[in-house]
Amino acid sequence: RRVRGVRSFGTEANARLTSSTAVVLLVLLAIEGFTVLRVGSLLTLHVFIGMLLVPPILVKLASTIWRFAKYYTGSREYREKGPPPVVLRLLGPFVAILTIILFASGILLLFVPLAWRGDMLLLHQASFVLWFACMTIHVLGHVKETAELSTRDWVRRTRVRVAGSRWRRLAITTSLVCGAALAFVTIPSVGPWLSAR
């Protein structure tokens, strides 16, 4: 039997997944930001955290694109909830595109020919500056919602109120496990990169 008061999958389920993933990303990005300050001596950690971030970023992008698609295809529930504020709505695509460019250029830096590394490094650094500016506004714009929703799937009292909390927690946990595996597979490429540099 359904528990009385349990809500079905919908806008809050998506918002919970988005917010929980956002907290994971903020913690990992804070660590990654620390490595940027001394990237020469912390390059291995920088690469490890960067690769660890990739699957959770994909989860966050997927949940955000899902909300966008549901809203603009006329889903009643998403229409009733309404879109994000105009500034955040306009900024969203730039955050997504710059995130993809930043991480793609960082990954390619490990594998492109030596002759291309100067241009790829410039792209990585330039995209970081633009991404950081956009991301700061993005985070500040969503901080209240994230604080309110991020723990609801992880606390017994609140997680039962919206269906699918187990699957949302599993999605985040699986993304971290996949990210760790990806990081460990990539780490051996750092040594040759340093030698070539």
Side-chain angles (χ1 to χ4, degrees):
R1 295 175 60 185
R2 288 176 60 85
V3 177
R4 186 177 180 182
V6 173
R7 298 174 62 184
S8 62
F9 292 97
T11 56
E12 187 171 346
N14 178 261
R16 286 185 178 201
L17 176 61
T18 303
S19 297
S20 292
T21 309
V23 169
V24 171
L25 292 176
L26 284 173
V27 171
L28 292 175
L29 286 168
I31 299 170
E32 187 75 332
F34 172 76
T35 67
V36 169
L37 300 176
R38 299 185 63 186
V39 72
S41 59
L42 296 175
L43 182 61
T44 300
L45 180 60
H46 182 75
V47 171
F48 185 91
I49 299 298
M51 299 307 292
L52 178 60
L53 276 160
V54 171
I57 284 172
L58 294 177
V59 172
K60 177 70 160 53
L61 286 173
S63 68
T64 303
I65 291 169
W66 177 260
R67 177 182 177 180
F68 175 89
K70 294 292 281 185
Y71 179 83
Y72 284 104
T73 55
S75 168
R76 180 178 178 181
E77 187 177 359
Y78 282 82
R79 283 285 185 175
E80 288 176 353
K81 181 177 180 179
V86 175
V87 173
L88 297 179
R89 206 183 331 166
L90 294 174
L91 195 65
F94 292 100
V95 172
I97 292 168
L98 287 169
T99 299
I100 293 169
I101 293 172
L102 176 65
F103 281 84
S105 61
I107 294 168
L108 288 173
L109 259 172
L110 293 172
F111 303 107
V112 296
L114 188 60
W116 295 5
R117 286 186 182 170
D119 292 335
M120 193 60 63
L121 181 59
L122 180 61
L123 175 62
H124 188 59
Q125 292 171 335
S127 62
F128 171 75
V129 173
L130 295 173
W131 171 87
F132 186 80
C134 291
M135 183 58 71
T136 300
I137 299 170
H138 177 78
V139 169
L140 291 175
H142 289 286
V143 67
K144 182 181 178 182
E145 182 182 21
T146 300
E148 290 176 352
L149 296 175
S150 60
T151 60
R152 289 188 182 176
D153 275 341
W154 305 88
V155 177
R156 182 186 297 272
R157 179 174 54 84
T158 53
R159 72 185 179 203
V160 298
R161 295 178 184 171
V162 178
S165 68
R166 178 181 299 175
W167 296 108
R168 291 188 293 277
R169 285 180 280 131
L170 182 62
I172 294 170
T173 304
T174 302
S175 73
L176 289 170
V177 171
C178 291
L182 190 62
F184 279 113
V185 168
T186 308
I187 284 302
S189 301
V190 176
W193 193 91
L194 287 171
S195 298
R197 188 177 67 171

